[in-house]
């Protein structure tokens, strides 16, 4: 129920219904045609490619469970029950669930579209059963074709079904010159309202001068000299005669108060223009999409390379998503691009030189579900990344990952390499932002190179870090505040603050600890810190905030919000039972993070968080979950690999069955979904 309640709502059910319909229609047909046949039809330059291993998905879910889910979400309503009895079995629909389903997306300025390529076991069977409302189209290049009522284009042969759907580019007609070619009028309601108000206020003057009015660029406009002293005198005179001014305004023929804006007419005009624009766009979309389908069916576009097809097909588990060009994906994120371009004051920011493509793989291992991410890097970035993340985890960290550890975060960088590469990064990557001032940039880089002694700094902070969270600590602090008495004299007020927060320890290696000790000794001399029993207590917020504690232990610097944890380490009372899974993960990764999901309910209770009954029930279910982990082994070949993993309860045979069972528990049967519709409210209620 944790998963189902999070995913499902009325809208969620509708999306789920269509999504599973797509997946089953997507994938149910791949036993008779090899995956390479479908992959070879993906146009080069596609933004996103998705491959779904239906054979593995159906095997994991089991047919009965999957059919139950499809029935619950109303999938079988898309099929007629005429001369064949479906028995609510998707294998009776004519599709074949033994191969790989393929979907790709292509984004252009004018047209954005996606296509599903679906090998089918029995296209006649499928065609006879599928409910379709729309219009038949002439056959093309051996494909039968059909346009559905909602504008999707279907094409099929005896061995495959292809579904094409698209939309007009959202910004294509923003350019007035392009919009004008197609008869589209860009109109802004707010601008129209302002124009109407201005026209009402200045009607007489506008009528007299509109013939001679020409918009002039501000850079070419000539300004006449103006006597501001005379203006000041006139203003003073006007301030002395307010009634006369008021009367003159009332008598004016162009009084703005007598010319109200007709907002009803403005609404109607705005709506009519938008309707006309939408009508034109719909006609264009129909023509453009039909032309695009013909280009695709006739293989006019070059396809992705054989090497890319092999990489896409090799060892697919459940689902694989491929972004062929990360830079193209980034360019499609218009809002993100706007923020970056505004920050850098440039439109030339690009990821192309450093990042090539990216893979996301959804993988199942018994009751574990994993998302594996792989990013292909450019040659220079591979070399740089290997230098920066060459450091291995400190083996001394392992003993601090115990059975009591709720979660941890470990990252290992090479500080010396970072400091050495900073000047190179400045001169190579920031040059284009300095224009003609590159000499200044090179001078800055040289100054950094001279000022930074990377070897000395690396002895102070080499770059290995571990943050450990060990349950909850009860923090208490006594502090002095100030208030006023009845005579408004300042008086001291002694106050106490208590709070329950997660207890953490941050530790890192430091071979040269002198600078830390010197700074802390100065803080002690100024009463900003205290030192007792080998532990420094550092005040925060002028003593009103909870303090931090710092301790030097062997060659480690440890910082914590819980002095009790540091005392346990100092006096060898720290728990000794190791968390073997955390230790193994940390030792085998350049970067890793993990937490025990089953400890979340107890942690929430200890924090005294007030929750509703439904949330408490959901949290209790987490007691059956395992660890949640995030890790990376760094560079493998020319790729940076990262794994995200969640261990699900073992009450199902595998992870997919558990997920589907969760979905089933949260889905109301489709025929009851109308009950979730909001009640209409009318003026008579």
């Amino acid at each position: 129920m944790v998963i189902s309640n999070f995913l499902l709502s009325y809208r969620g059910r509708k999306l789920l219904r269509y999504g599973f319909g797509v997946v089953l229609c997507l994938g149910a047909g791949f036993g008779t045609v090899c995956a390479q046949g479908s992959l070879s039809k993906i146009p080069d330059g596609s933004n996103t490619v998705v491959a779904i291993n239906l054979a593995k998905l159906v095997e994991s879910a089991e047919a009965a469970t999957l059919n139950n889910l499809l029935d619950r979400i109303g999938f079988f309503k898309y099929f007629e029950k005429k001369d064949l009895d479906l028995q609510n079995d998707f294998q009776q629909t004519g599709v074949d669930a033994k191969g790989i389903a393929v979907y790709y997306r292509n984004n252009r300025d004018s047209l954005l579209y996606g296509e599903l390529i679906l090998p089918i076991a029995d296209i006649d069977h499928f065609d006879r059963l599928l409910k379709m409302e729309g219009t038949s189209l002439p056959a093309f290049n051996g494909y039968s074709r059909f346009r559905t009522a909602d504008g999707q284009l279907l094409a099929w042969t005896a061995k495959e079904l292809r579904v094409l759907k698209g939309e007009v580019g959202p910004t294509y007609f923003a350019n007035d010159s392009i919009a004008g070619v197609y008869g589209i009028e860009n109109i802004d309601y707010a601008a129209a309202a302002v124009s109407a108000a201005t026209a009402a206020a200045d009607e007489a003057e506008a009528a007299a001068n509109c013939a001679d009015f020409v918009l002039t660029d501000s850079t070419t406009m000539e300004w006449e000299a103006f006597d501001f002293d005379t203006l000041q005198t006139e203003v003073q005179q006007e301030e002395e005669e307010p009634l006369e001014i008021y009367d003159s305004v009332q008598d004016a023929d162009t009084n703005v108060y007598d010319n109200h804006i007709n907002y009803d007419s403005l609404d109607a005009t705005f709506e009519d223009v938008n309707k006309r624009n939408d009508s034109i766009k719909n006609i264009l979309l129909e023509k453009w999409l039909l032309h695009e389908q013909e280009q695709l069916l006739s293989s006019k576009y070059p396809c992705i390379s054989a090497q890319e097809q092999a990489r896409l097909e090799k060892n697919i588990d459940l689902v694989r998503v491929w972004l062929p060009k990360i830079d193209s994906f980034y360019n499609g994120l218009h809002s993100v691009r706007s923020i970056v371009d505004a920050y850098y004051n440039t439109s030339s920011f690009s990821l192309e030189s450093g990042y090539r493509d990216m893979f996301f793989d959804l993988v199942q291992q018994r009751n574990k579900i994993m998302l594996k991410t792989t990013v292909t890097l450019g040659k220079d970035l591979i070399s740089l990344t290997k230098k920066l993340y060459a450091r291995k985890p400190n083996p001394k960290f392992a003993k601090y990952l115990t059975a009591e550890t709720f979660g941890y975060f470990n990252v290992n960088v090479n500080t010396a390499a970072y400091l050495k590469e900073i000047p190179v990064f400045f001169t190579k990557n920031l040059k284009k932002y300095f224009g003609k001032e590159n000499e200044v940039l090179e001078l800055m880089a040289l100054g950094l190179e001279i000022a930074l002694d990377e070897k000395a700094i690396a002895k102070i902070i080499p770059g290995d870090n571990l943050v450990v969270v060990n349950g909850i600590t009860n923090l208490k602090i006594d502090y002095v505040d100030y208030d006023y008495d009845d005579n408004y004299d300042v008086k001291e007020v002694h106050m106490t603050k208590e709070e329950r927060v997660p207890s953490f320890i941050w530790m890192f290696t430091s071979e040269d600890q002198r600078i830390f000790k010197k700074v802390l000794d100065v803080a002690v001399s100024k009463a900003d810190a205290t030192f007792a029993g080998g532990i420094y207590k550092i005040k925060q917020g002028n003593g009103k905030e909870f303090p931090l504690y710092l301790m030097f232990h062997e060659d480690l610097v440890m910082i914590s919000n819980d002095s009790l944890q540091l005392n346990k380490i100092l006096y060898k009372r720290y728990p000794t039972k190791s968390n073997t899974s955390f230790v193994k993960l940390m030792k085998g990764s350049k970067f890793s993070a993990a937490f025990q999901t089953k400890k979340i309910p107890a942690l929430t209770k200890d924090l005294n968080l007030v929750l509703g009954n439904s949330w408490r029930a959901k949290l209790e279910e987490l007691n059956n979950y395992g660890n949640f982990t995030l890790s990376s082994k760094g560079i493998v070949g020319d790729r940076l690999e990262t794994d995200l993993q969640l261990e699900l309860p073992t009450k199902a045979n595998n992870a997919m069955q558990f997920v589907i069972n969760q979905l089933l528990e949260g889905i109301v049967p489709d025929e009851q979904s109308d009950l979730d519709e909001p009640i209409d409210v009318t003026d008579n209620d």
Side-chain angles (χ1 to χ4, degrees):
M1 288 298 292
V2 172
I3 293 178
S4 63
N5 280 288
F6 178 75
L7 291 176
L8 299 175
S9 61
Y10 175 66
R11 291 182 179 179
R13 283 196 299 276
K14 293 184 71 176
L15 291 173
L16 189 64
R17 179 189 315 160
Y18 297 136
F20 262 84
V22 165
V23 167
L24 259 292
C25 286
L26 251 175
F30 288 93
T32 56
V33 178
C34 66
Q36 184 136 354
S38 299
L39 295 175
S40 66
K41 295 170 185 175
I42 300 172
D44 189 27
S46 297
N47 300 79
T48 307
V49 180
V50 181
I52 305 173
N53 187 347
L54 265 293
K56 181 66 176 290
L57 186 64
V58 172
E59 176 189 351
S60 301
E62 292 186 353
T65 306
L66 192 57
N67 285 332
N68 191 9
L69 177 62
L70 292 174
D71 182 41
R72 188 70 66 86
I73 64 177
F75 170 70
F76 293 109
K77 287 186 176 182
Y78 294 100
F79 294 87
E80 298 279 6
K81 295 183 180 180
K82 293 181 179 177
D83 53 340
L84 293 174
D85 185 7
L86 287 177
Q87 298 178 348
N88 285 353
D89 183 357
F90 72 88
Q91 297 194 48
Q92 299 297 321
T93 62
V95 296
D96 184 0
K98 296 181 181 178
I100 297 173
V102 176
Y103 168 82
Y104 69 87
R105 183 149 182 94
N106 210 323
N107 293 347
R108 300 175 182 171
D109 290 339
S110 57
L111 181 65
L112 286 65
Y113 67 87
E115 185 180 34
L116 311 177
I117 304 177
L118 317 172
I120 300 296
D122 188 344
I123 192 66
D124 293 332
H125 200 91
F126 184 85
D127 184 33
R128 190 165 68 250
L129 291 174
L130 188 64
K131 285 184 183 179
M132 292 188 295
E133 296 180 1
T135 308
S136 295
L137 298 173
F140 183 86
N141 200 27
Y143 285 87
S144 300
R145 296 192 297 164
F146 190 89
R147 178 186 286 115
T148 64
D150 62 352
Q152 296 184 69
L153 297 181
L154 277 61
W156 62 90
T157 63
K159 293 188 176 182
E160 72 176 15
L161 171 68
R162 301 175 69 162
V163 183
L164 183 68
K165 186 173 184 179
E167 59 180 315
V168 174
T171 60
Y172 184 63
F173 294 111
N175 187 320
D176 290 336
S177 61
I178 295 177
V181 171
Y182 298 98
I184 290 176
E185 181 182 357
N186 290 324
I187 183 171
D188 188 330
Y189 183 87
V194 171
S195 299
T198 303
D202 302 321
E203 182 178 354
E205 183 179 354
N209 301 325
C210 65
D212 300 325
F213 181 78
V214 179
L215 287 176
T216 308
D217 188 273
S218 60
T219 58
T220 61
M221 189 175 294
E222 296 182 0
W223 299 91
E224 296 182 1
F226 193 86
D227 190 348
F228 286 96
D229 294 333
T230 303
L231 175 64
Q232 185 175 6
T233 303
E234 292 176 356
V235 170
Q236 290 174 349
Q237 291 175 352
E238 290 175 355
E239 289 177 349
E240 294 172 358
E241 303 172 352
L243 295 177
E244 294 181 11
I245 299 256
Y246 178 76
D247 292 338
S248 65
V249 171
Q250 279 194 320
D251 295 336
D253 293 334
T254 59
N255 189 346
V256 297
Y257 301 105
D258 294 333
N259 294 281
H260 300 293
I261 300 171
N262 188 340
Y263 284 102
D264 290 338
S265 176
L266 206 61
D267 289 337
T269 302
F270 186 73
E271 185 176 349
D272 289 343
V273 172
N274 278 330
K275 284 182 178 179
R276 185 172 66 253
N277 288 346
D278 290 341
S279 178
I280 296 172
K281 290 178 183 179
N282 290 336
I283 294 172
L284 290 174
L285 174 61
E286 186 175 303
K287 291 182 177 180
W288 289 349
L289 198 61
L290 189 61
H291 176 266
E292 195 68 21
Q293 186 192 52
E294 293 174 354
Q295 297 294 103
L296 294 168
L297 297 181
S298 58
S299 302
K300 291 291 182 66
Y301 297 131
C303 68
I304 61 176
S305 68
Q307 182 182 7
E308 290 171 331
Q309 293 176 42
R311 286 185 63 195
L312 185 58
E313 180 185 12
K314 184 179 180 181
N315 298 330
I316 299 178
D317 196 78
L318 293 175
V319 179
R320 174 169 292 164
V321 179
W322 177 42
L323 304 180
K325 291 186 178 180
I326 296 179
D327 192 58
S328 297
F329 177 75
Y330 163 74
N331 288 334
L333 303 175
H334 299 289
S335 58
V336 176
R337 283 177 55 203
S338 299
I339 294 172
V340 174
D341 292 345
Y343 180 79
Y344 285 102
N345 194 28
T346 179
S347 59
S348 59
F349 183 83
S350 173
L351 301 174
E352 188 173 4
S353 61
Y355 301 89
R356 303 299 165 83
D357 63 359
M358 178 181 290
F359 283 89
F360 298 94
D361 279 279
L362 188 65
V363 178
Q364 172 190 267
Q365 289 183 358
R366 296 182 180 178
N367 67 315
K368 296 178 182 178
I369 196 81
M370 292 177 286
L371 181 65
K372 295 179 176 290
T373 305
T374 303
V375 183
T376 306
L377 305 179
K379 186 180 297 184
D380 292 342
L381 194 55
I382 291 172
S383 176
L384 177 62
T385 306
K386 285 183 176 179
K387 293 177 184 177
L388 300 184
Y389 298 95
R391 190 176 184 86
K392 295 181 179 180
N394 188 338
K396 291 183 180 179
F397 288 163
K399 63 183 178 182
Y400 300 108
L401 300 177
T402 71
E404 294 185 6
T405 302
F406 167 72
Y408 82 92
F409 169 80
N410 172 240
V411 62
N412 305 278
V413 299
N414 189 325
T415 303
Y418 258 102
L419 297 176
K420 188 175 182 179
E421 293 296 332
I422 283 177
V424 179
F425 175 85
F426 264 60
T427 54
K428 185 175 181 179
N429 296 290
L430 303 183
K431 186 179 295 185
K432 59 186 176 183
Y433 304 122
F434 278 75
K436 298 180 180 180
E437 306 299 328
N438 285 329
E439 295 84 358
V440 177
L441 176 63
E442 292 173 1
L443 183 61
M444 291 171 57
L446 180 60
L448 279 172
E449 192 172 352
I450 295 172
L452 296 175
D453 185 348
E454 65 268 12
K455 292 183 179 179
I457 296 175
K459 286 186 176 181
I460 300 172
I461 308 177
D464 55 350
N465 296 269
L466 176 69
V467 178
V468 180
V469 178
N470 291 321
I472 301 298
T473 183
N474 190 15
L475 300 182
K476 181 179 179 181
I477 183 173
D478 297 323
Y479 64 95
V480 177
D481 205 347
Y482 298 93
D483 199 355
Y484 296 94
D485 58 18
D486 295 337
N487 296 322
Y488 297 101
D489 294 326
V490 176
K491 64 176 182 179
E492 290 186 354
V493 180
H494 294 271
M495 306 186 72
T496 300
K497 180 165 58 175
E498 296 186 11
E499 191 171 340
R500 294 176 67 81
V501 298
S503 169
F504 75 87
I505 307 174
W506 169 32
M507 61 187 76
F508 56 88
T509 304
S510 178
E511 298 175 13
D512 187 350
Q513 302 173 352
R514 292 174 298 171
I515 186 69
F516 295 112
K517 293 179 178 178
K518 186 63 177 177
V519 170
L520 288 168
D521 289 342
V522 171
V524 170
S525 67
K526 294 185 177 182
D528 292 326
T530 58
F531 179 70
I535 297 175
Y536 289 90
K537 180 180 179 181
I538 306 167
K539 292 182 180 179
Q540 294 192 98
N542 294 324
K544 296 181 182 180
E545 301 298 328
F546 296 110
L548 287 176
Y549 301 91
L550 187 145
M551 179 181 75
F552 300 100
H553 183 66
E554 299 172 346
D555 62 347
L556 297 178
V557 177
M558 297 185 172
I559 302 173
S560 177
N561 63 343
D562 187 356
S563 61
L564 181 60
Q565 294 290 331
L566 296 184
N567 274 289
K568 287 181 179 180
I569 294 172
L570 189 63
Y571 296 105
K572 299 182 179 180
R573 295 197 299 267
Y574 199 76
T576 57
K577 186 177 180 180
S578 177
N579 187 321
T580 54
S581 61
F582 282 6
V583 171
K584 182 179 179 181
L585 182 68
M586 184 198 71
K587 287 185 175 181
S589 309
K590 299 288 186 181
F591 158 86
S592 63
F595 63 83
Q596 297 189 59
T597 311
K598 63 184 179 182
K599 288 195 172 186
I600 293 178
L603 190 71
T604 305
K605 185 177 180 180
D606 288 342
L607 287 172
N608 294 325
L609 297 179
V610 179
L611 301 172
N613 291 332
S614 61
W615 273 106
R616 282 200 294 268
K618 294 171 188 175
L619 282 173
E620 285 301 319
E621 291 183 25
L622 294 179
N623 286 311
N624 300 317
Y625 283 64
N627 295 335
F628 176 88
T629 64
L630 174 64
S631 63
S632 174
K633 295 183 181 296
I635 301 295
V636 179
D638 62 348
R639 300 183 297 276
L640 176 64
E641 297 184 352
T642 304
D643 292 347
L644 188 71
Q645 177 178 295
L646 176 61
E647 188 176 350
L648 299 172
T650 57
K651 58 184 179 182
N653 291 336
N654 55 56
M656 279 307 303
Q657 276 199 33
F658 176 81
V659 171
I660 292 178
N661 288 336
Q662 288 278 287
L663 292 173
L664 283 170
E665 290 181 19
I667 299 175
V668 178
D670 186 64
E671 55 269 27
Q672 297 182 21
S673 62
D674 291 340
L675 296 177
D676 292 329
E677 293 281 6
I679 299 174
D680 290 336
V681 178
T682 68
D683 295 336
N684 297 326
D685 286 342

